[in-house]
Amino acid sequence: MPIPEKLKRFLIGNSALSFSTPIIQMTLLWLIYKEIQNPLLFIPIASARPISQVLISPLAGYVSDKFDRRKANFILGIFARLSSLTVVIFLIFHSILFIIFFFILRVIFSMFSVMIGSVAFYQIVPREMQKQAIFINRIVYESSEIAGTISWYFLLSYLGVFTAILGLIISMIGGIIFYTFQMGGGHENVSLSSGFKLFKEKNVLRLTTFGTASIQGAIWMIVSYAPALIIIYHGTSLIYDISQVIFSLSFIIGSWIMKRFKSVLKIITYTLPIYFSIFILMIIHNPWIVVYGLGAIGIADSIYEIYWLRGMQNGAGEELLGSAIGVDEFVTAISRLSFSLLAGYLYTTVMLLVPFSGLLTMSAVTLWYIKNINILKKISID
């Protein structure tokens, strides 16, 4: 089946956005910490993303369904870029409080824009070619992000704070490309409570979200602490660099494997042992276990994604897909934040309890899916 014109434009725009994102993000984070030089003052910067996800995910899902996604995505993207530019200006003038305030605004607007773009991607692609489209998009996204990450070091050496401005220009190009095609949305029968009502009514949504949120929370104990774990295990910056490249590549590999699955039960049977293996091997204190863990997470998450998408679609339909995903992101963000805080405490007290907590969570997820196996059998991924 030929690639739809909308998908081609989406991929081109996404390549520009994916290339620019690490350039902007890494520049701001690096220079903000150099400016602040205080771990306590850096807490709102480090916590901005998960807290924003908890606060705005349901609202972002509502906006995605209620309003024209193309216009909403473009306007929110403009606000995100203006907030980033304002951070750059206050970095030049060394105004710490304004730097923190506008960085948090940037994260909020970016989260809105990203969610709207994600829902649009799932809806501009015909159902029968979504597995192929996810694989192609992974190649574009991950390769562009790797290129941006590698370029950042050299750009920062020559441009300093203005590296972020170059990233914003490239990002704007991606935003303009996104504006050239319809993204859907604009449904009248949508309210702020639509997503929550769906979850109350639809077993398949509760099944998918609670399972996914539990898995994502557990693996977040590794993903969010990867550099710290490598240092704790006496690893080097080179091993950390390798782990990030492996992490990106694993999503491409996992998306390729995902195309071969035709059953939700087989997906769950295949991915759960991978998640289990990560926490079993964490008992071994070796930095390369972190590299394995990130690679395994990328592969398992990529395979699992099509089940998650079909669960959302089966429960919400096309009209309320954004609202359903918004609630799903809300629950997942709470789980990630909770597990992240738990891990931060356990890593400094009884480190062995981290893999134990992960194994306990995976066991609970397994029992959850066994209990609801009849619902899983009804979800088609073709």
Side-chain angles (χ1 to χ4, degrees):
M1 179 180 292
I3 298 177
E5 183 62 30
K6 283 185 180 180
L7 179 57
K8 289 180 181 178
R9 294 188 194 180
F10 183 94
L11 294 172
I12 294 171
N14 201 27
S15 66
L17 291 173
S18 303
F19 179 80
S20 65
T21 296
I23 292 175
I24 300 168
Q25 182 81 352
M26 293 171 73
T27 300
L28 294 181
L29 289 175
W30 183 264
L31 294 179
I32 287 173
Y33 190 78
K34 287 187 71 176
E35 180 68 32
I36 292 176
Q37 292 289 328
N38 187 321
L40 289 177
L41 286 176
F42 198 71
I43 287 175
I45 301 296
S47 305
R49 182 179 175 184
I51 292 176
S52 296
Q53 282 181 309
V54 172
L55 294 177
I56 63 99
S57 289
L59 178 59
Y62 162 74
V63 170
S64 175
D65 287 336
K66 183 71 174 179
F67 302 100
D68 185 318
R69 291 192 189 111
R70 181 182 64 156
K71 293 179 180 178
N73 183 67
F74 187 75
I75 293 170
L76 290 164
I78 290 291
F79 281 127
R81 294 177 189 100
L82 287 175
S83 299
S84 299
L85 181 60
T86 308
V87 173
V88 170
I89 293 171
F90 284 116
L91 276 168
I92 294 172
F93 290 100
H94 310 288
S95 302
I96 293 177
L97 290 180
F98 286 110
I99 290 170
I100 294 172
F101 175 76
F102 281 101
F103 182 87
I104 293 173
L105 274 186
R106 170 193 177 270
V107 172
I108 292 172
F109 288 129
S110 295
M111 293 302 303
F112 265 104
S113 182
V114 167
M115 178 169 291
I116 292 171
S118 297
V119 176
F121 169 71
Y122 292 130
Q123 293 199 318
I124 64 175
V125 180
R127 185 182 177 98
E128 61 270 18
M129 71 170 299
Q130 282 181 340
K131 288 194 284 186
Q132 177 72 11
I134 289 172
F135 172 58
I136 296 172
N137 187 52
R138 280 293 184 188
I139 294 176
V140 171
Y141 176 86
E142 300 297 345
S143 58
S144 298
E145 191 168 73
I146 290 172
T149 302
I150 294 172
S151 302
W152 171 77
Y153 174 80
F154 301 100
L155 290 172
L156 188 70
S157 301
Y158 288 101
L159 300 177
V161 69
F162 297 103
T163 303
I165 295 179
L166 175 61
L168 289 171
I169 293 171
I170 299 171
S171 173
M172 191 65 214
I173 294 171
I176 292 172
I177 294 172
F178 270 21
Y179 194 71
T180 62
F181 62 89
Q182 293 295 328
M183 295 183 174
H187 301 296
E188 293 183 1
N189 299 322
V190 181
S191 67
L192 273 171
S193 61
S194 293
F196 292 100
K197 288 179 181 177
L198 276 174
F199 273 78
K200 184 179 179 180
E201 298 168 0
K202 302 290 185 178
N203 289 335
V204 66
L205 289 179
R206 295 195 298 273
L207 169 63
T208 304
T209 291
F210 292 145
T212 303
S214 299
I215 291 171
Q216 291 301 309
I219 63 176
W220 207 246
M221 295 191 293
I222 299 171
V223 174
S224 62
Y225 286 92
L229 282 172
I230 289 172
I231 292 171
I232 291 170
Y233 294 158
H234 307 293
T236 63
S237 58
L238 176 61
I239 295 177
Y240 176 57
D241 196 25
I242 292 171
S243 75
Q244 296 307 294
V245 174
I246 293 294
F247 194 38
S248 293
L249 291 175
S250 66
F251 281 98
I252 298 175
I253 297 169
S255 297
W256 177 75
I257 297 173
M258 174 267 294
K259 295 191 301 172
R260 301 171 179 272
F261 282 91
K262 299 184 183 297
S263 162
V264 167
L265 289 180
K266 287 185 178 179
I267 286 177
I268 292 174
T269 303
Y270 188 89
T271 54
L272 282 180
I274 297 176
Y275 291 125
F276 268 106
S277 72
I278 297 165
F279 295 105
I280 292 172
L281 290 175
M282 274 192 71
I283 297 172
I284 305 171
H285 288 195
N286 187 298
W288 291 103
I289 295 300
V290 182
V291 179
Y292 166 79
L294 292 178
I297 287 169
I299 290 173
D301 276 6
S302 300
I303 298 170
Y304 189 93
E305 181 180 3
I306 190 65
Y307 153 58
W308 169 82
L309 174 59
R310 290 292 186 260
M312 293 291 106
Q313 290 173 327
N314 285 13
E318 297 302 318
E319 184 173 334
L320 296 176
L321 182 61
S323 298
I325 291 178
V327 176
D328 175 88
E329 288 288 337
F330 170 72
V331 176
T332 301
I334 291 176
S335 178
R336 284 175 171 168
L337 190 59
S338 301
F339 273 93
S340 181
L341 293 172
L342 173 65
Y345 171 74
L346 294 179
Y347 281 134
T348 57
T349 53
V350 188
M351 195 168 177
L352 188 61
L353 288 180
V354 173
F356 177 79
S357 300
L359 290 171
L360 191 63
T361 303
M362 290 302 116
S363 299
V365 171
T366 302
L367 293 174
W368 173 248
Y369 283 140
I370 291 173
K371 179 184 177 183
N372 294 280
I373 193 168
N374 290 330
I375 300 176
L376 293 173
K377 288 179 179 178
K378 296 177 182 178
I379 302 174
S380 171
I381 61 174
D382 290 328

